[in-house]
């Protein structure tokens, strides 16, 4: 597995939300699961954010 050089944190998820969906940026954010090439972050009680993290192209996909 190749890990990306960007560490995905709750702060990064929140920053991405502020840029792309400011209406969701105030929801609570916590790590839900890490898979082979994606991370799933819980967003509030009903939503999730899925981010690539272990592929060679993950940085470009973010």
């Amino acid at each position: 597995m190749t890990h990306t050089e960007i560490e995905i944190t709750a702060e990064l998820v929140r920053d991405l939300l502020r840029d792309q969906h400011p209406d969701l940026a105030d929801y609570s954010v916590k790590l839900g699961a890490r898979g082979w090439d994606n991370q799933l972050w819980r967003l509030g009680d009903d939503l999730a954010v899925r981010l690539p993290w272990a592929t060679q192209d993950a940085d470009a996909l973010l």
Side-chain angles (χ1 to χ4, degrees):
M1 179 184 332
T2 304
H3 291 286
T4 178
E5 291 181 11
I6 294 177
E7 181 182 358
I8 299 176
T9 63
E11 292 79 22
L12 174 62
V13 174
R14 192 167 310 285
D15 287 344
L16 291 169
L17 287 168
R18 279 190 194 108
D19 289 343
Q20 298 176 29
H21 289 281
D23 56 315
L24 301 176
D26 292 329
Y27 283 51
S28 63
V29 175
K30 67 179 181 176
L31 181 61
R34 287 188 181 146
W36 175 254
D37 60 356
N38 291 284
Q39 288 187 12
L40 183 67
W41 288 79
R42 297 284 310 180
L43 183 59
D45 293 329
D46 300 321
L47 300 173
V49 176
R50 181 175 162 246
L51 296 171
W53 79 293
T55 64
Q56 291 180 349
D57 298 323
D59 292 351
L61 294 171
L62 285 175

